Amino acid sequence: MNPDFDALIQSEIPIVVDFRKTDCEPCSLLDPVLEQVKHTLEKRIEVVRVDADANPELAHQYRISYFPSLLLFQEGRLLWRQTGLMGKDEIIARILEHIS
């Protein structure tokens, strides 16, 4: 358990967690997409990146084995998860399906 992460995902503001690896090219390709998502949704979400190499226990806890993996949390609940590259519009649509 990671107390900082656990406190973070308790937020009322939805948190998109990007589990990634440093040497993962698709992870790097997702960076500008997530910036566009964050900019489009403004203050409705937060985006947090987690380096799975530096946080292996956390990656294991959430059964992350493919990268990048996106998880959406709100008030401690896992609302959605997706593995692999996605476009901005698809990510936004999935987030909006799960938040009010």
Side-chain angles (χ1 to χ4, degrees), residues 30-99:
L30 189 60
D31 280 339
V33 174
L34 288 177
E35 288 304 316
Q36 293 171 357
V37 168
K38 186 175 178 179
H39 178 74
T40 300
L41 295 177
E42 295 180 334
K43 296 183 186 317
R44 295 182 66 189
I45 66 161
E46 289 292 329
V47 175
V48 175
R49 291 173 176 86
V50 174
D51 181 345
D53 290 326
N55 298 282
E57 303 86 16
L58 197 55
H60 179 74
Q61 177 182 347
Y62 287 98
R63 297 178 179 94
I64 306 296
S65 53
Y66 298 101
F67 301 93
S69 287
L70 299 178
L71 282 69
L72 176 67
F73 292 93
Q74 187 173 21
E75 296 177 344
R77 292 179 294 128
L78 176 61
L79 303 176
W80 168 73
R81 71 185 297 148
Q82 177 72 40
T83 300
L85 283 175
M86 298 174 66
K88 175 189 87 158
D89 294 337
E90 188 177 359
I91 293 172
I92 290 171
R94 298 292 173 263
I95 290 170
L96 292 177
E97 284 176 10
H98 294 92
I99 66 172

Side-chain angles (χ1 to χ4, degrees), residues 5-15 46 73-77:
F5 185 81
D6 293 341
L8 175 74
I9 64 172
Q10 293 299 322
S11 171
E12 289 181 21
I13 296 171
I15 307 290
E46 289 292 329
F73 292 93
Q74 187 173 21
E75 296 177 344
R77 292 179 294 128

Side-chain angles (χ1 to χ4, degrees), residues 20-32 67-68 85:
R20 57 184 30 253
K21 287 194 170 224
T22 316
D23 61 348
C24 166
E25 186 174 334
C27 299
S28 298
L29 295 173
L30 189 60
D31 280 339
F67 301 93
L85 283 175

